[in-house]
């Protein structure tokens, strides 16, 4: 579903992604983790062409996304991207936020778009909030609307860039549950997150990055209990330090 080959990305003279090669199969759930500034967000943003690359290739669902002549807006609208900040239009209701791209970009009839999006809002547990504006919703509810909005375009892949980092702790669970349900339904997903419990429970493979490079790719049990790379061991030790005394089985 996603193929990255020898991808290099520079911000000026800063080498943000270094020779990244990685394949993701249809239906796989990948969690990208690593220290702050390691290039996780840059990597996931290149998959949606929110960032340009300087060399290498990225193919998503059969489309070479850095090909000249690509209709970037159309391509982006086909891939579900959920941001840390929910990026909902404040002057539109939850339902209108979800139907907008369907009616504007896909030219779906308004009633059909409404029906489809009501179903999606129900799926994320928000049918009763369809006519609320973002300011009337909690952070967790806004993020669930953002997920429903991304799903409206029937994306072949969903990309999540720290989807729970802007939420109050008590709202993290409701958003992770929606993402877990999507994973169980077989959606191909890439998720940058610091939620290691979620990663352990839900993903098929963990990708560990540091300094713009992929240093380790492993099944979650292997990654959390026997990380191969010394940098991964240090990363896990650092994030688990506040949970001192909690065994690896409880991550
Ligand atoms: P992560 O998501 O792992 O925290 P990022 O992908 O956001 O890391 O950033 C990787 C590195 O690239 C960081 O050192 C960051 O400062 C740098 N960076 C990110 N975006 C830009 C930008 N637009 N211009 C210059 N440097 C950037």
């Amino acid at each position: 579903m996603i193929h990255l080959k020898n991808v290099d990305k520079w911000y000026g003279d800063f080498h943000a992604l270094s020779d990244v090669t990685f394949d993701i199969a249809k239906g796989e759930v990948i969690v990208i983790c690593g220290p702050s500034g390691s290039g996780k967000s840059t990597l996931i943003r290149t998959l949606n062409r929110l960032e340009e690359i300087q060399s290498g290739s990225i193919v998503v669902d059969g489309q070479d996304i850095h090909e000249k002549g690509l209709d970037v807006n159309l391509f982006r609208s086909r891939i579900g991207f959920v941001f840390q900040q929910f990026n909902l239009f404040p002057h539109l209701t939850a339902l209108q936020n979800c139907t907008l791209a369907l009616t504007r970009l896909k030219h779906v009839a308004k009633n059909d778009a409404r029906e489809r999006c009501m179903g999606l809002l129900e799926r994320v547990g928000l049918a009763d909030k369809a006519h609320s504006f973002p300011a009337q919703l909690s952070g967790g509810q806004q993020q669930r609307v953002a997920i429903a909005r991304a799903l409206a375009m029937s994306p072949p892949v969903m990309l999540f860039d720290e989807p729970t980092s802007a939420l109050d702790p008590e709202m993290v669970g409701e958003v992770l549950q929606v993402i877990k349900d999507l994973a169980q339904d077989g959606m191909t997903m890439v998720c940058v997150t610091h939620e290691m419990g979620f990663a352990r429970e839900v993903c098929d493979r963990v990708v560990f990055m540091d300094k713009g490079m992929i240093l380790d790719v492993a099944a979650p049990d292997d990654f959390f209990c026997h990380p191969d790379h010394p940098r991964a061991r240090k990363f896990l030790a650092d994030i688990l330090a506040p949970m001192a005394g909690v065994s690896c089985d409880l991550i």
Side-chain angles (χ1 to χ4, degrees):
M1 180 61 83
I2 302 177
H3 304 279
L4 295 108
K5 194 153 188 266
N6 306 122
V7 171
D8 279 279
K9 159 86 188 162
W10 299 78
Y11 293 113
D13 56 9
F14 179 75
H15 204 177
L17 293 178
S18 181
D19 197 22
V20 172
T21 295
F22 188 60
D23 293 324
I24 298 171
K26 190 168 191 291
E28 252 198 314
V29 178
I30 299 293
V31 160
I32 304 178
C33 67
S36 181
S38 57
K40 307 177 296 292
S41 182
T42 300
L43 179 63
I44 199 166
R45 289 165 66 85
T46 65
L47 300 182
N48 205 19
R49 218 174 129 176
L50 287 166
E51 297 288 353
E52 298 292 331
I53 59 174
Q54 276 69 48
S55 63
S57 71
I58 302 177
V59 176
V60 177
D61 197 24
Q63 171 72 57
D64 177 347
I65 66 171
H66 290 270
E67 186 181 83
K68 274 195 188 127
L70 173 75
D71 182 337
V72 179
N73 287 332
L74 186 64
F75 167 74
R76 265 188 214 138
S77 73
R78 285 188 52 234
I79 304 295
F81 200 107
V82 175
F83 299 85
Q84 184 175 342
Q85 302 297 339
F86 329 116
N87 294 348
L88 297 175
F89 288 112
H91 61 292
L92 299 180
T93 64
L95 182 60
Q96 288 166 337
N97 264 284
C98 293
T99 56
L100 188 67
L102 273 182
T103 52
R104 292 273 173 90
L105 289 171
K106 274 200 168 173
H107 307 295
V108 173
K110 273 193 178 156
N111 279 346
D112 293 345
R114 260 190 229 123
E115 197 177 320
R116 171 165 172 68
C117 292
M118 276 307 295
L120 290 169
L121 286 172
E122 198 166 332
R123 188 166 167 192
V124 300
L126 288 175
D128 59 330
K129 301 288 183 190
H131 304 295
S132 300
F133 289 91
Q136 299 169 316
L137 301 174
S138 71
Q141 289 169 335
Q142 289 186 60
Q143 191 60 302
R144 285 188 279 151
V145 173
I147 294 172
R149 175 180 61 177
L151 290 171
M153 297 295 276
S154 308
V157 175
M158 286 283 287
L159 307 173
F160 296 89
D161 190 4
E162 298 199 26
T164 58
S165 299
L167 298 175
D168 289 336
E170 73 272 21
M171 291 172 191
V172 169
E174 69 192 59
V175 171
L176 291 181
Q177 188 57 51
V178 167
I179 302 175
K180 274 185 213 172
D181 292 345
L182 279 177
Q184 268 147 19
D185 289 348
M187 174 65 80
T188 308
M189 303 201 310
V190 184
C191 185
V192 174
T193 183
H194 298 290
E195 296 290 339
M196 293 296 114
F198 165 81
R200 181 130 196 232
E201 189 184 339
V202 176
C203 80
D204 297 304
R205 287 187 293 162
V206 179
V207 170
F208 174 74
M209 292 186 71
D210 194 20
K211 299 196 170 94
M213 289 179 280
I214 292 182
L215 296 187
D216 200 359
V217 179
D221 280 355
D222 292 337
F223 180 77
F224 289 111
C225 291
H226 320 283
D228 266 348
H229 200 283
R231 283 293 297 129
R233 283 200 285 276
K234 175 159 187 343
F235 170 74
L236 284 173
D238 288 347
I239 59 168
L240 294 179
M243 296 165 68
V246 179
S247 88
C248 146
D249 286 346
L250 294 179
I251 294 171

